[in-house]
Amino acid sequence: QKEVEQDPGPLSVPEGAIVSLNCTYSNSAFQYFMWYRQYSRKGPELLMYTYSSGNKEDGRFTAQVDKSSKYISLFIRDSQPSDSATYLCAMSARDAGNMLTFGGGTRLMVKP
Amino acid sequence: SQTIHQWPATLVQPVGSPLSLECTVEGTSNPNLYWYRQAAGRGLQLLFYSVGIGQISSEVPQNLSASRPQDRQFILSSKKLLLSDSGFYLCAWRGVDQPQHFGDGTRLSIL
């Protein structure tokens, strides 16, 4: 079993839809949670960064962490074709970013 | 603001040839630096990380090596490339208590 599981997709949605991307993990020591967006042939770009449980909102993006269920989510409101990319979750136990464990990524396609 | 540069963006090399990929960071001091490999449809595999000049930790035994000759320079090398070395190589940096930030990667094809 992988330490971090992420549905690879692809997930196809119409423009304007609400998108929910999820990761589950097995290591209860994880405390720092990140979401990266990766466009084709580019490096991952940090989207959201949260510590411990709770929600964090930034524009159209909301990150949610449920440590009791070992489950994290990224919601995208009013999705746009420019949101089409692969979304990677990442997490760390000791501090914000030293040794990250990544999910395999979910490919999202937003159709106009 | 901080920026990270990787080059070349793409590289095609024959089996058995040497490799040198370079990564530099601007706008910060004493960053932690990382080399990852990303295989198609798979997550990121950490290859090396460095907490300072000349300090390299290897996560995966293989025919690759890394060096950090200057504070903001990280180099990935190989003396003889294998077919299995093909992939997308990413460099990343982080400051104290900050998440990692990635460069745009080098796509390496071995023929």
Side-chain angles (χ1 to χ4, degrees):
Chain A
Q1 183 189 6
K2 292 181 183 177
E3 228 176 342
V4 179
E5 299 276 2
Q6 190 174 3
D7 189 329
L11 177 62
S12 182
V13 301
E15 182 176 355
I18 296 175
V19 176
S20 172
L21 303 167
N22 311 295
C23 288
T24 59
Y25 62 94
S26 57
N27 187 349
S28 58
F30 288 143
Q31 298 187 76
Y32 298 86
F33 304 92
M34 284 134 281
W35 285 96
Y36 289 86
R37 177 177 61 195
Q38 186 174 22
Y39 291 115
S40 180
R41 298 184 173 272
K42 292 289 187 181
E45 169 195 4
L46 181 67
L47 268 184
M48 301 287 282
Y49 156 51
T50 55
Y51 169 70
S52 195
S53 286
N55 293 359
K56 184 174 183 179
E57 188 173 322
D58 184 0
R60 296 184 296 111
F61 299 91
T62 299
Q64 207 170 70
V65 175
D66 182 350
K67 289 188 69 181
S68 62
S69 301
K70 298 191 183 69
Y71 189 88
I72 68 170
S73 300
L74 177 71
F75 297 97
I76 307 175
R77 289 183 298 280
D78 187 25
S79 56
Q80 303 295 310
S82 59
D83 295 327
S84 298
T86 296
Y87 290 79
L88 299 160
C89 64
M91 39 200 85
S92 173
R94 214 184 69 184
D95 58 29
N98 194 29
M99 303 304 285
L100 296 181
T101 301
F102 285 85
T106 298
R107 187 175 162 215
L108 172 67
M109 297 174 1
V110 181
K111 298 190 173 181
Chain B
S1 64
Q2 301 90 356
T3 56
I4 180 169
H5 303 280
Q6 276 189 255
W7 65 93
T10 59
L11 188 60
V12 181
Q13 293 283 94
V15 169
S17 63
L19 173 74
S20 180
L21 301 181
E22 191 163 340
C23 170
T24 59
V25 181
E26 296 177 358
T28 187
S29 296
N30 197 31
N32 283 10
L33 296 171
Y34 306 83
W35 278 112
Y36 289 88
R37 177 166 56 207
Q38 185 177 33
R42 298 172 68 177
L44 277 69
Q45 179 188 34
L46 179 63
L47 302 175
F48 301 95
Y49 70 94
S50 172
V51 299
I53 296 174
Q55 301 178 63
I56 309 294
S57 295
S58 172
E59 290 295 303
V60 182
Q62 57 207 320
N63 71 322
L64 298 172
S65 62
S67 61
R68 184 169 177 174
Q70 299 180 46
D71 182 44
R72 289 168 292 172
Q73 185 185 30
F74 206 21
I75 297 172
L76 183 69
S77 304
S78 174
K79 292 181 180 177
K80 279 188 175 184
L81 286 167
L82 306 173
L83 282 174
S84 58
D85 291 324
S86 292
F88 191 43
Y89 289 84
L90 290 158
C91 180
W93 75 274
R94 69 182 282 262
V96 175
D97 290 332
Q98 294 297 313
Q100 292 181 28
H101 298 271
F102 289 84
D104 273 340
T106 294
R107 190 160 302 277
L108 175 64
S109 298
I110 311 298
L111 303 180

